[in-house]
Amino acid sequence: MCGRFAITLPPEAMVRMFDAVPGNDVPQGARYNVCPTQMVAAVTSLEGVRHLRGLRWGFVPAWYETPTDGPLLINARAETIAEKPAFRAAVRARRCLIAADGFYEWNVGGNGARLPWFVTRADGRPMAMAGIWQDWERAGQRLTGCAIVTCAAGPDMAPIHHREPVLVDPADWPLWLGESGHGAARLMRGHPEAALRAWRVGVGVNSNRATGAELCAPLATGTPGA
């Protein structure tokens, strides 16, 4: 799954990267511990025009009476996304890209402790995580929520965790955003070997209240299972 990530790119840089129209609701400032229910910067496309906008991390199905009427849906599994009633309409028509420097994942050490890792692209470029989004409204309350699409872990992630977010390469952004026809399902796969790199980080990130650049700083040592 993907339950935390970091993003330090300013909105202006994301606008340039995605060639998007800026919105006025995009979160500002470097964020080293983005958590579910917080606002995230996402790119959507409407009639071929990309928009950088703020979305709430947490997909709310249309039938929820309140945003907390059921489980908090922060991830959507690629293998079942087209079949699940909560997601199947969104994956056909409301796909988005969520920018990140990298994401956190946990494995279990020899003493049973949960050990956090920070995962980035091996080439150092920002990530564009595949997402889906949906508007929800009840009794005057309105929000637009999103979920990150996940898939089986590729060879770089498998020693740490069995799932990873779907990462979309720049050449495939038009396809995922629905700008270049059909076939986005083929993008919902793990990355090949040597595409990602990961390092152990301190347990401070285990708290969803933690902030600061030190959260994703590497420890002196760290190998999966250590």
Side-chain angles (χ1 to χ4, degrees):
M1 65 176 295
C2 179
R4 307 271 191 86
F5 66 91
I7 176 68
T8 60
L9 277 179
E12 311 86 70
M14 287 186 269
V15 164
R16 292 192 298 270
M17 183 173 79
F18 291 107
D19 191 21
V21 177
N24 58 12
D25 57 353
V26 179
Q28 302 289 320
R31 305 165 71 202
Y32 296 94
N33 191 12
V34 181
C35 302
T37 73
Q38 294 180 352
M39 297 295 288
V40 301
V43 175
T44 61
S45 185
L46 177 64
E47 297 180 349
V49 178
R50 296 177 185 175
H51 298 265
L52 181 69
R53 52 192 297 202
L55 303 181
R56 176 186 182 268
W57 187 9
F59 191 96
V60 182
W63 60 83
Y64 277 23
E65 292 298 324
T66 71
T68 57
D69 203 29
L72 180 63
L73 305 177
I74 62 170
N75 291 162
R77 294 175 67 94
E79 297 87 345
T80 58
I81 193 171
E83 306 163 6
K84 293 289 187 180
F87 302 135
R88 61 191 179 198
V91 76
R92 288 195 300 267
R94 295 185 299 278
R95 298 188 295 270
C96 63
L97 294 169
I98 299 167
D101 293 359
F103 62 91
Y104 297 96
E105 194 50 83
W106 285 258
N107 71 348
V108 180
N111 61 357
R114 294 181 71 240
L115 306 176
W117 293 75
F118 190 63
V119 185
T120 69
R121 288 180 60 115
D123 60 15
R125 293 189 298 174
M127 293 177 170
M129 300 186 291
I132 56 174
W133 64 275
Q134 176 157 292
D135 291 324
W136 177 89
E137 185 172 10
R138 283 287 192 286
Q141 184 180 8
R142 179 184 175 88
L143 60 83
T144 302
C146 64
I148 294 171
V149 182
T150 68
C151 60
D156 297 326
M157 270 297 296
I160 300 173
H161 196 269
H162 66 285
R163 304 291 296 177
E164 66 180 66
V166 171
L167 303 181
V168 185
D169 291 327
D172 295 320
W173 292 350
L175 182 58
W176 183 255
L177 292 173
E179 300 166 348
S180 58
H182 302 289
R186 70 172 178 81
L187 304 178
M188 292 190 286
R189 64 190 188 281
H191 265 53
E193 190 171 7
L196 302 176
R197 62 190 181 110
W199 57 83
R200 272 285 317 281
V201 296
V203 296
V205 75
N206 289 354
S207 168
N208 59 13
R209 297 182 179 179
T211 61
E214 69 278 2
L215 295 179
C216 54
L219 295 181
T221 60
T223 56

